[in-house]
Amino acid sequence: MVNRSRKVLFGGLALVVALVVSGCNANAGPTESTSEGTATAMESVPTGGTLHYLSRRANESWETANAQMVPTSRLRWVHRGLTSWQTFPDKETILTPDLATDTGTTDDGGQTWTFTLKDDLLFSDGTPITAEDVKYGVERSFAPMFQGGLGYHKTLLVGAEDYEGPYDGEELDSIEVVDDQTIVFHLNRPFGNWPWIVSMPAFAPVPAAADTEPETYGEHPVASGPYMVTEYTKGSQAVLERNPHWDQKTDDVRLAGPDKIIVDMGLNNDTIVQRLIDDKGDDKDAISNALISPSQFQRIESDPSISDRLANGPSGYFRYIALNMKSPELADVRVRQALNFALNKAELQSVYGGPKFGGEISSTIMTPGMPGYEEFNLYDGGDKGDVDKAKKLLAEAGVTDLTLSLTYPADASAIEEKEALSIKNSLAKAGITVELNGLDSDTWYELISSGGDGYDLTTSGWGADFPSGMSTIQPLFASSEIGNGGGNASNYSNPDVDAAIDAAISEPDLDKAGEMWAAIDKQIMEDAPIVPILVQRTQALAGSNIVNYFIPAYPPFANELVVGIDE
């Protein structure tokens, strides 16, 4: 993913996203291509070879208790969860059983969830994987030493608010082990997305007997996935080799093509990209998490031998302008609607790299790839905006000489400055004066998450933690998320929307829930608390021997579990 500003907002994978780019799927040759050029995910990949992972992270770890990594990431080479995700270049990501036999059952509308483990599951040391191991893995994520991570379960499990992990001998009673293969989760409210939650890192099984040194467990964990860590030098390199007790017949989400994986840590970002561009030696068998700069894209695009190796996402992070509902100047909905009509989104798209590199112009909150997503545009002024319509709405509201402040993180990246200036110039054509207020990221974050005034407009970006409208709509628009570090930068509060959000969260039928989230999307946009800008795209480069490397509509990352090496 190309993302110059990686500041995490509020929680989860919410990001201020600066530059994300797009194109065609990498190495589409070995896959079945359609007439439109999209590739179909391969059902199998060649077996053998050594995969090289070039990481810009100072340290890679296989600790699950505080990880934020999605279920298609390298963390899942080593660990499995109760459920996981199957991704495709050309259709929605789907939830699928992993260690469990199904994606969970509930008999009380989503407040109690039961999962049964598959038969004959073994850890890398040959011991059986049991429900008790899953329970312990979740419990250790509550320990104070493991701060951060994807923590939805910490607010949903009964009694979790006072629990501090298993290291003092205490258990969390709301995680009930019925027998070796059956585990039951008791939640404090109905929650239809729980099957997605149990795909997250903390739900990987951990045998308590092996957790004698929790601080370093992530360096040599007991593996449930197809690979185990056999060598580990912190901040330098890890070597993963096949887990002899992993059985492909029990695993529908990992292809496990390479015989070995070598992870090199702490590499310079631009150096990684240049190595992949040059495509020499072991780098032909490499993938990475490096971010590609605009200057590097020019080189990549000009050479088909490089551009053919570029994985490109059709969808990604949501970029928008939050309109502070506590600002007197924005109290009239017609003013907020005028801003939606006035904005020249095509110019902003150019700031981010144009349709090919920057992303698709957006008019909704939910993004393509999310279940239930519906395309609509309540304020269709065309890509360049409708200045006359905006002026008419301002006149109807009795507003003249409107001046608004635009606050943004000025130290995030140069593109934030260009974005702000573009917005200023765009709105000026509708007679709206915009005063720019660039702040350092920490001050900006404190301001917009405080729940108060002090700004009229702010730019922001968001990435959902799991494929559900809940993972975007609830954190950005629920009244409960105003202030106290919450993500509701618009300070938007609508009791009817809050009730609709609560109903959609509780709905255990995920197809029905998707329809409910789509309806809430329209309900919110009728109040116009934001101006959607773009659905940003993501790109990643791979070596020439890598096959089945693609970025789905969601998540905006390549699926690292399904790649192979074709030499």
Side-chain angles (χ1 to χ4, degrees), residues 289-300:
N289 59 359
L291 310 181
I292 307 173
S293 70
S295 61
Q296 290 168 322
F297 274 114
Q298 294 173 10
R299 166 76 190 282
I300 292 168

mmCIF file with all atom_site columns, all heavy atoms in Angstrom, residues 289-300:
data_model
loop_
_atom_site.group_PDB
_atom_site.id
_atom_site.type_symbol
_atom_site.label_atom_id
_atom_site.label_alt_id
_atom_site.label_comp_id
_atom_site.label_asym_id
_atom_site.label_entity_id
_atom_site.label_seq_id
_atom_site.pdbx_PDB_ins_code
_atom_site.Cartn_x
_atom_site.Cartn_y
_atom_site.Cartn_z
_atom_site.occupancy
_atom_site.B_iso_or_equiv
_atom_site.pdbx_formal_charge
_atom_site.auth_seq_id
_atom_site.auth_comp_id
_atom_site.auth_asym_id
_atom_site.auth_atom_id
_atom_site.pdbx_PDB_model_num
ATOM 1  N N   . ASN A 1 289 ? 6.208  -4.958 2.125   1.00 0.00 ? 289 ASN A N   1
ATOM 2  C CA  . ASN A 1 289 ? 5.198  -4.013 2.595   1.00 0.00 ? 289 ASN A CA  1
ATOM 3  C C   . ASN A 1 289 ? 5.653  -2.580 2.328   1.00 0.00 ? 289 ASN A C   1
ATOM 4  O O   . ASN A 1 289 ? 5.212  -1.644 2.988   1.00 0.00 ? 289 ASN A O   1
ATOM 5  C CB  . ASN A 1 289 ? 4.910  -4.204 4.084   1.00 0.00 ? 289 ASN A CB  1
ATOM 6  C CG  . ASN A 1 289 ? 6.158  -4.024 4.952   1.00 0.00 ? 289 ASN A CG  1
ATOM 7  O OD1 . ASN A 1 289 ? 7.246  -3.770 4.453   1.00 0.00 ? 289 ASN A OD1 1
ATOM 8  N ND2 . ASN A 1 289 ? 5.997  -4.173 6.267   1.00 0.00 ? 289 ASN A ND2 1
ATOM 9  N N   . ALA A 1 290 ? 6.535  -2.384 1.364   1.00 0.00 ? 290 ALA A N   1
ATOM 10 C CA  . ALA A 1 290 ? 7.080  -1.064 1.064   1.00 0.00 ? 290 ALA A CA  1
ATOM 11 C C   . ALA A 1 290 ? 6.037  -0.180 0.377   1.00 0.00 ? 290 ALA A C   1
ATOM 12 O O   . ALA A 1 290 ? 5.158  -0.657 -0.338  1.00 0.00 ? 290 ALA A O   1
ATOM 13 C CB  . ALA A 1 290 ? 8.318  -1.189 0.188   1.00 0.00 ? 290 ALA A CB  1
ATOM 14 N N   . LEU A 1 291 ? 6.159  1.124  0.591   1.00 0.00 ? 291 LEU A N   1
ATOM 15 C CA  . LEU A 1 291 ? 5.277  2.109  -0.015  1.00 0.00 ? 291 LEU A CA  1
ATOM 16 C C   . LEU A 1 291 ? 5.969  2.715  -1.230  1.00 0.00 ? 291 LEU A C   1
ATOM 17 O O   . LEU A 1 291 ? 7.129  3.115  -1.163  1.00 0.00 ? 291 LEU A O   1
ATOM 18 C CB  . LEU A 1 291 ? 4.947  3.210  0.993   1.00 0.00 ? 291 LEU A CB  1
ATOM 19 C CG  . LEU A 1 291 ? 4.470  2.732  2.367   1.00 0.00 ? 291 LEU A CG  1
ATOM 20 C CD1 . LEU A 1 291 ? 4.166  3.926  3.260   1.00 0.00 ? 291 LEU A CD1 1
ATOM 21 C CD2 . LEU A 1 291 ? 3.244  1.840  2.221   1.00 0.00 ? 291 LEU A CD2 1
ATOM 22 N N   . ILE A 1 292 ? 5.250  2.804  -2.325  1.00 0.00 ? 292 ILE A N   1
ATOM 23 C CA  . ILE A 1 292 ? 5.841  3.248  -3.579  1.00 0.00 ? 292 ILE A CA  1
ATOM 24 C C   . ILE A 1 292 ? 5.603  4.744  -3.763  1.00 0.00 ? 292 ILE A C   1
ATOM 25 O O   . ILE A 1 292 ? 4.476  5.219  -3.629  1.00 0.00 ? 292 ILE A O   1
ATOM 26 C CB  . ILE A 1 292 ? 5.263  2.462  -4.758  1.00 0.00 ? 292 ILE A CB  1
ATOM 27 C CG1 . ILE A 1 292 ? 5.404  0.955  -4.503  1.00 0.00 ? 292 ILE A CG1 1
ATOM 28 C CG2 . ILE A 1 292 ? 5.936  2.848  -6.062  1.00 0.00 ? 292 ILE A CG2 1
ATOM 29 C CD1 . ILE A 1 292 ? 4.726  0.083  -5.536  1.00 0.00 ? 292 ILE A CD1 1
ATOM 30 N N   . SER A 1 293 ? 6.659  5.493  -4.070  1.00 0.00 ? 293 SER A N   1
ATOM 31 C CA  . SER A 1 293 ? 6.557  6.938  -4.228  1.00 0.00 ? 293 SER A CA  1
ATOM 32 C C   . SER A 1 293 ? 6.125  7.288  -5.645  1.00 0.00 ? 293 SER A C   1
ATOM 33 O O   . SER A 1 293 ? 6.282  6.482  -6.576  1.00 0.00 ? 293 SER A O   1
ATOM 34 C CB  . SER A 1 293 ? 7.904  7.594  -3.928  1.00 0.00 ? 293 SER A CB  1
ATOM 35 O OG  . SER A 1 293 ? 8.841  7.277  -4.944  1.00 0.00 ? 293 SER A OG  1
ATOM 36 N N   . PRO A 1 294 ? 5.603  8.510  -5.866  1.00 0.00 ? 294 PRO A N   1
ATOM 37 C CA  . PRO A 1 294 ? 5.185  8.912  -7.217  1.00 0.00 ? 294 PRO A CA  1
ATOM 38 C C   . PRO A 1 294 ? 6.315  8.830  -8.243  1.00 0.00 ? 294 PRO A C   1
ATOM 39 O O   . PRO A 1 294 ? 6.091  8.421  -9.385  1.00 0.00 ? 294 PRO A O   1
ATOM 40 C CB  . PRO A 1 294 ? 4.723  10.353 -7.010  1.00 0.00 ? 294 PRO A CB  1
ATOM 41 C CG  . PRO A 1 294 ? 4.273  10.397 -5.592  1.00 0.00 ? 294 PRO A CG  1
ATOM 42 C CD  . PRO A 1 294 ? 5.223  9.501  -4.854  1.00 0.00 ? 294 PRO A CD  1
ATOM 43 N N   . SER A 1 295 ? 7.526  9.196  -7.845  1.00 0.00 ? 295 SER A N   1
ATOM 44 C CA  . SER A 1 295 ? 8.642  9.140  -8.794  1.00 0.00 ? 295 SER A CA  1
ATOM 45 C C   . SER A 1 295 ? 8.945  7.702  -9.205  1.00 0.00 ? 295 SER A C   1
ATOM 46 O O   . SER A 1 295 ? 9.302  7.431  -10.358 1.00 0.00 ? 295 SER A O   1
ATOM 47 C CB  . SER A 1 295 ? 9.885  9.782  -8.177  1.00 0.00 ? 295 SER A CB  1
ATOM 48 O OG  . SER A 1 295 ? 10.287 9.086  -7.001  1.00 0.00 ? 295 SER A OG  1
ATOM 49 N N   . GLN A 1 296 ? 8.780  6.766  -8.279  1.00 0.00 ? 296 GLN A N   1
ATOM 50 C CA  . GLN A 1 296 ? 9.012  5.355  -8.604  1.00 0.00 ? 296 GLN A CA  1
ATOM 51 C C   . GLN A 1 296 ? 7.918  4.816  -9.510  1.00 0.00 ? 296 GLN A C   1
ATOM 52 O O   . GLN A 1 296 ? 8.168  3.964  -10.363 1.00 0.00 ? 296 GLN A O   1
ATOM 53 C CB  . GLN A 1 296 ? 9.114  4.536  -7.319  1.00 0.00 ? 296 GLN A CB  1
ATOM 54 C CG  . GLN A 1 296 ? 10.394 4.814  -6.534  1.00 0.00 ? 296 GLN A CG  1
ATOM 55 C CD  . GLN A 1 296 ? 10.359 4.228  -5.145  1.00 0.00 ? 296 GLN A CD  1
ATOM 56 O OE1 . GLN A 1 296 ? 9.334  4.227  -4.474  1.00 0.00 ? 296 GLN A OE1 1
ATOM 57 N NE2 . GLN A 1 296 ? 11.499 3.728  -4.682  1.00 0.00 ? 296 GLN A NE2 1
ATOM 58 N N   . PHE A 1 297 ? 6.692  5.327  -9.361  1.00 0.00 ? 297 PHE A N   1
ATOM 59 C CA  . PHE A 1 297 ? 5.611  4.879  -10.227 1.00 0.00 ? 297 PHE A CA  1
ATOM 60 C C   . PHE A 1 297 ? 5.868  5.266  -11.677 1.00 0.00 ? 297 PHE A C   1
ATOM 61 O O   . PHE A 1 297 ? 5.507  4.541  -12.593 1.00 0.00 ? 297 PHE A O   1
ATOM 62 C CB  . PHE A 1 297 ? 4.281  5.449  -9.763  1.00 0.00 ? 297 PHE A CB  1
ATOM 63 C CG  . PHE A 1 297 ? 3.638  4.604  -8.717  1.00 0.00 ? 297 PHE A CG  1
ATOM 64 C CD1 . PHE A 1 297 ? 3.470  5.080  -7.435  1.00 0.00 ? 297 PHE A CD1 1
ATOM 65 C CD2 . PHE A 1 297 ? 3.217  3.321  -8.997  1.00 0.00 ? 297 PHE A CD2 1
ATOM 66 C CE1 . PHE A 1 297 ? 2.903  4.296  -6.468  1.00 0.00 ? 297 PHE A CE1 1
ATOM 67 C CE2 . PHE A 1 297 ? 2.645  2.524  -8.035  1.00 0.00 ? 297 PHE A CE2 1
ATOM 68 C CZ  . PHE A 1 297 ? 2.482  3.020  -6.755  1.00 0.00 ? 297 PHE A CZ  1
ATOM 69 N N   . GLN A 1 298 ? 6.465  6.419  -11.869 1.00 0.00 ? 298 GLN A N   1
ATOM 70 C CA  . GLN A 1 298 ? 6.772  6.834  -13.236 1.00 0.00 ? 298 GLN A CA  1
ATOM 71 C C   . GLN A 1 298 ? 7.688  5.817  -13.906 1.00 0.00 ? 298 GLN A C   1
ATOM 72 O O   . GLN A 1 298 ? 7.500  5.464  -15.062 1.00 0.00 ? 298 GLN A O   1
ATOM 73 C CB  . GLN A 1 298 ? 7.417  8.220  -13.213 1.00 0.00 ? 298 GLN A CB  1
ATOM 74 C CG  . GLN A 1 298 ? 6.478  9.311  -12.740 1.00 0.00 ? 298 GLN A CG  1
ATOM 75 C CD  . GLN A 1 298 ? 7.167  10.657 -12.569 1.00 0.00 ? 298 GLN A CD  1
ATOM 76 O OE1 . GLN A 1 298 ? 8.317  10.829 -12.974 1.00 0.00 ? 298 GLN A OE1 1
ATOM 77 N NE2 . GLN A 1 298 ? 6.475  11.607 -11.974 1.00 0.00 ? 298 GLN A NE2 1
ATOM 78 N N   . ARG A 1 299 ? 8.686  5.346  -13.170 1.00 0.00 ? 299 ARG A N   1
ATOM 79 C CA  . ARG A 1 299 ? 9.603  4.332  -13.706 1.00 0.00 ? 299 ARG A CA  1
ATOM 80 C C   . ARG A 1 299 ? 8.861  3.018  -13.930 1.00 0.00 ? 299 ARG A C   1
ATOM 81 O O   . ARG A 1 299 ? 9.034  2.367  -14.968 1.00 0.00 ? 299 ARG A O   1
ATOM 82 C CB  . ARG A 1 299 ? 10.748 4.142  -12.711 1.00 0.00 ? 299 ARG A CB  1
ATOM 83 C CG  . ARG A 1 299 ? 11.586 2.895  -12.952 1.00 0.00 ? 299 ARG A CG  1
ATOM 84 C CD  . ARG A 1 299 ? 12.550 3.023  -14.121 1.00 0.00 ? 299 ARG A CD  1
ATOM 85 N NE  . ARG A 1 299 ? 13.165 1.734  -14.459 1.00 0.00 ? 299 ARG A NE  1
ATOM 86 C CZ  . ARG A 1 299 ? 14.157 1.182  -13.782 1.00 0.00 ? 299 ARG A CZ  1
ATOM 87 N NH1 . ARG A 1 299 ? 14.663 1.787  -12.707 1.00 0.00 ? 299 ARG A NH1 1
ATOM 88 N NH2 . ARG A 1 299 ? 14.677 0.024  -14.177 1.00 0.00 ? 299 ARG A NH2 1
ATOM 89 N N   . ILE A 1 300 ? 8.038  2.632  -12.970 1.00 0.00 ? 300 ILE A N   1
ATOM 90 C CA  . ILE A 1 300 ? 7.315  1.364  -13.074 1.00 0.00 ? 300 ILE A CA  1
ATOM 91 C C   . ILE A 1 300 ? 6.368  1.368  -14.271 1.00 0.00 ? 300 ILE A C   1
ATOM 92 O O   . ILE A 1 300 ? 6.316  0.429  -15.059 1.00 0.00 ? 300 ILE A O   1
ATOM 93 C CB  . ILE A 1 300 ? 6.541  1.091  -11.766 1.00 0.00 ? 300 ILE A CB  1
ATOM 94 C CG1 . ILE A 1 300 ? 7.519  0.818  -10.620 1.00 0.00 ? 300 ILE A CG1 1
ATOM 95 C CG2 . ILE A 1 300 ? 5.577  -0.080 -11.939 1.00 0.00 ? 300 ILE A CG2 1
ATOM 96 C CD1 . ILE A 1 300 ? 6.865  0.820  -9.253  1.00 0.00 ? 300 ILE A CD1 1
#
